[in-house]
Amino acid sequence: AMLAVGTKDGRLRVLDPDSGAALVDDAILGAEVLSVAFSLSGDLLATGLSDRSWAVRDASSGAELLRVQGHDGKCNCSCTFDEDGCMDPDDGCTVVGHDTPVIAVCFSPCGKSVATGGEDDPAQVWDARSGELLPMEVQHQDAGRSVSYSPCGRWMASGEKSSNDGRVLIWDSSSGTPHRTLTGGVNALSFSPDGHSLATGGGGGGVRVGD
């Protein structure tokens, strides 16, 4: 078992929860860490940062394997890391990142994709190895501040910005086609272990559990 901790000053620690020993001690990420998530296998770790980027890391060493950098509306870019460092893309790169801080990250159960949610932009789904943005037909109306896969991996849920007119969208994770829409904005959501229920928490302090 491992516990990942991200800090406001841009550091990442991976701890043994039983002993408290640091497995990865103060890896410097360069921006405030807003979200962390392990892959189901436990060998990968996704991080979302305040600089609008998200990354996939080796959970045992903290080494960065992939980074998709956000943008300011003027440029889009992604880069991968190898032993020689970052390999920057050509000017014609068309990979689109978030244009606000990444406050939610979640691996699919098989570990092949990563869902991300921005502070003020829609949820997006990416190939976990290449950083390629995957197509989906779901049309978000507001910021996708929370994301969660069902345990079987068939369904994906994303909660739009917490407000009275927000929504929770449930969609087919493989095709990106809409399945169900629930009313009420949320800041956090999670499927039950059997995948039959979805718990949501909103900005007003309430928690709902629905089938």
Side-chain angles (χ1 to χ4, degrees):
M2 293 183 287
L3 172 69
V5 179
T7 67
K8 190 172 184 178
D9 63 357
R11 296 176 183 272
L12 174 70
R13 303 187 74 196
V14 179
L15 308 173
D16 182 320
D18 293 324
S19 67
L23 306 176
V24 175
D25 194 11
D26 286 340
I28 298 175
L29 308 192
E32 181 179 357
V33 183
L34 301 177
S35 50
V36 293
F38 282 100
S39 63
L40 187 61
S41 62
D43 59 336
L44 298 176
L45 179 67
T47 55
L49 303 182
S50 62
D51 67 356
R52 301 172 292 210
S53 71
W54 67 270
V56 174
R57 298 177 174 276
D58 183 292
S60 61
S61 68
E64 193 167 84
L65 306 176
L66 168 75
R67 175 186 289 264
V68 174
Q69 182 63 49
H71 63 91
D72 57 7
K74 299 178 181 179
C75 63
N76 304 316
C77 62
S78 70
C79 57
T80 56
F81 284 72
D82 62 11
E83 60 184 7
D84 298 320
C86 177
M87 300 183 293
D88 291 325
D90 296 331
D91 292 339
C93 175
T94 58
V95 174
V96 179
H98 285 277
D99 59 10
T100 61
V102 180
I103 61 175
V105 290
C106 180
F107 277 99
S108 63
C110 66
K112 293 182 178 180
S113 60
V114 176
T116 60
E119 186 174 79
D120 280 311
D121 54 344
Q124 300 175 352
V125 181
W126 314 81
D127 185 291
R129 292 182 61 87
S130 68
E132 177 185 0
L133 182 64
L134 302 178
M136 60 182 183
E137 297 178 19
V138 172
Q139 298 298 313
H140 291 86
Q141 298 176 352
D142 209 333
R145 291 193 165 190
S146 50
V147 289
S148 179
Y149 281 93
S150 65
C152 68
R154 180 179 180 184
W155 306 114
M156 177 74 202
S158 55
E160 292 185 334
K161 189 174 181 179
S162 184
S163 61
N164 291 332
D165 58 353
R167 303 179 303 167
V168 175
L169 306 178
I170 301 175
W171 34 285
D172 187 299
S173 64
S174 60
S175 66
T177 55
H179 171 65
R180 188 177 180 185
T181 302
L182 309 176
T183 58
V186 301
N187 288 333
L189 51 78
S190 179
F191 280 97
S192 62
D194 63 8
H196 293 162
S197 300
L198 180 69
T200 63
V207 176
R208 296 186 299 171
V209 179
D211 293 329

